[in-house]
Amino acid sequence: MIYLNKKSSIIIILLLCLAFMTGCNNELISNIPQPNTDIMPENVPVEYDDATASHILFGDKITINGSGAELQKNVITIFKEGTYIFEGNLQEGQIIVNAESADVHIVFKNAHITCSYSAALYIKSAARVILTLADGTQNSLSDMASRPSDDSIDGAIYSKSPMAINGNGALSVSGTYKHGISSKEAVTICGGGIAVSALKTGLDSRGDITLSSCTLKVDAGTNGIRSGREDESANISILGGTYAIISAGDGLQSYGNIDISDGT
């Protein structure tokens, strides 16, 4: 269910590579909710203090230098507000954020995580989570198709809280179970070079999706980017950036507004 105002319609015609919307009706959804301003691009910090942050290093063993995170087997759980810097390769492991009402800032510095049994990054509870891709770094998050078919944690990144991705590094997300990035709350991507491949939807959010100042490539088995559901109105806003979307279904699908003010 897609609503397009005149401005959006004209821009989408000019940017056909962004949106293939066949098979969708154009019924207007009223009472569109206001966006979550806490994760709007202007309110999402990129800066962090390396000296006061907790450092988590993956290798032959996992080491945690600092407070606010704990290790159980290959699962790192963040349980309080703070900045957490991750480096190295973690096979068959996971990051969980379980820090109710806290601001959590995660920084990836050449971090690579693969998880066969769940999401590689699972945001269970937080006021908001910011994922910053450190300058010049290459990072990756992958799940696997071997999970139970009824698993509701259905993305390589799965979030129950508002989240944002920024920075000047690169991130590859591979969702071979279902979706690449899946969220029950709003998602903002306002920096970095992001490549998402997914069995189903590349970026799937029940909340608003805001895209700005990023390079985003999506290769999806169903829809490229989707916001909302039939009973939940949510918008897609593209404020700038560069996009390439390959999908078997719709490039952009929204149960709300699609507003494109800039971008290529």
Side-chain angles (χ1 to χ4, degrees), residues 200-212:
K200 292 195 173 182
T201 302
L203 170 53
D204 184 32
S205 176
R206 289 180 177 269
D208 292 335
I209 295 173
T210 303
L211 306 173
S212 174

Side-chain angles (χ1 to χ4, degrees), residues 42 49-50 59-60 69 81 86-88 102 122 151 164 174 177 186 189 206-207 221 223 236 256:
E42 63 271 17
D49 187 347
D50 190 271
D60 293 335
E81 187 162 322
F86 291 86
E87 300 180 65
Y122 174 23
D151 191 353
S174 178
Y177 172 65
I189 301 178
R206 289 180 177 269
N223 301 306
I236 297 174

Side-chain angles (χ1 to χ4, degrees), residues 3 14 29 42 100 109 128 130 166 187 230 234 253 260:
Y3 170 75
L14 295 175
I29 294 179
E42 63 271 17
E100 188 174 356
K109 286 187 173 181
R128 67 172 180 175
I130 299 167
N166 63 12
V187 175
E230 289 185 0
Q253 184 184 83
I260 303 176

Side-chain angles (χ1 to χ4, degrees), residues 53-55 64-69 79-81 83-84:
S54 296
H55 291 254
I64 300 175
N65 295 313
S67 61
F79 57 84
K80 74 175 185 179
E81 187 162 322
T83 300
Y84 301 85

Side-chain angles (χ1 to χ4, degrees), residues 14 20 41 43 75 77 88 103 111 120 126-127 133-134 142 152 156 167 170 199 205 218 225 228-229 234 250:
L14 295 175
F20 301 98
N43 296 327
V75 177
T77 300
D103 272 359
L133 310 173
S142 304
S152 61
L199 178 68
S205 176
V218 176
I225 299 172
R229 294 294 188 272
D250 299 327

Side-chain angles (χ1 to χ4, degrees), residues 35-109:
N36 186 325
T37 57
D38 288 342
I39 59 166
M40 293 302 286
E42 63 271 17
N43 296 327
V44 178
V46 179
E47 298 79 11
Y48 57 91
D49 187 347
D50 190 271
T52 60
S54 296
H55 291 254
I56 297 93
L57 179 63
F58 304 136
D60 293 335
K61 64 177 183 178
I62 300 171
T63 59
I64 300 175
N65 295 313
S67 61
E70 60 186 7
L71 174 65
Q72 185 174 10
K73 294 184 178 179
N74 274 9
V75 177
I76 300 92
T77 300
I78 296 169
F79 57 84
K80 74 175 185 179
E81 187 162 322
T83 300
Y84 301 85
I85 300 174
F86 291 86
E87 300 180 65
N89 298 318
L90 177 61
Q91 297 292 326
E92 198 65 333
Q94 183 183 37
I95 298 171
I96 296 176
V97 178
N98 190 10
E100 188 174 356
S101 302
D103 272 359
V104 174
H105 194 170
I106 294 173
V107 180
F108 278 179
K109 286 187 173 181

Side-chain angles (χ1 to χ4, degrees), residues 158-161 163 181-187 204-207:
Y158 183 80
S159 183
K160 293 182 177 179
S161 301
M163 71 169 295
I181 301 171
S182 177
S183 181
K184 290 185 174 295
E185 299 288 345
V187 175
D204 184 32
S205 176
R206 289 180 177 269

